Amino acid sequence: MPNEVLVLAYAGCDTCRKAQKWLKEQGVAHRVRPIVEEPPTVAELRQWLPLSGLPLRKWLNLSGQSYRALGKAKVDAASDAELMSWLAADGKLVKRPVLVSGSTVLVGFQPEAWARALTPAR
């Protein structure tokens, strides 16, 4: 695979651990970036957002403490610029894991989608 597979993950996240285990079982070489210590930058978010095909708000971890601390009303009232700065400042606010491989960006772990994205076209 010509492009490095990057996974932004949180060590305390069961879904992130499942995703990493799945990658290992599939023989996919990858690098894990700790999302709490190194959240995506605003520049990365600007690049990755269109590649993910998701609206910005789908990048939010709605079940996490960071989201609850902000509160739904504050998040709903926030501009995209504010949301991006919050996501870049707090990796726990980001839905995870995030897989980045070339022009593919996937948010959250769905084995079927990851398999499609990581299987070379024939």
Side-chain angles (χ1 to χ4, degrees), residues 23-88:
L23 288 168
K24 187 175 180 180
E25 289 170 352
Q26 304 306 310
V28 177
H30 61 284
R31 178 173 66 93
V32 176
R33 180 167 127 191
I35 198 167
V36 174
E37 293 83 358
E38 296 179 59
T41 64
V42 171
E44 286 172 330
L45 288 167
R46 285 190 181 122
Q47 178 185 3
W48 294 344
L49 186 65
L51 296 176
S52 75
L54 296 174
L56 179 58
R57 291 175 187 278
K58 291 288 187 183
W59 281 67
L60 292 167
N61 175 11
L62 303 180
S63 61
Q65 291 176 344
S66 293
Y67 177 81
R68 288 193 299 270
L70 285 170
K72 183 181 183 326
K74 185 173 182 177
V75 172
D76 287 348
S79 68
D80 283 357
E82 285 175 305
L83 288 176
M84 277 204 190
S85 69
W86 294 345
L87 289 167

Side-chain angles (χ1 to χ4, degrees), residues 18 40 69 78 100 112:
K18 287 178 192 172
V100 181
E112 301 81 14

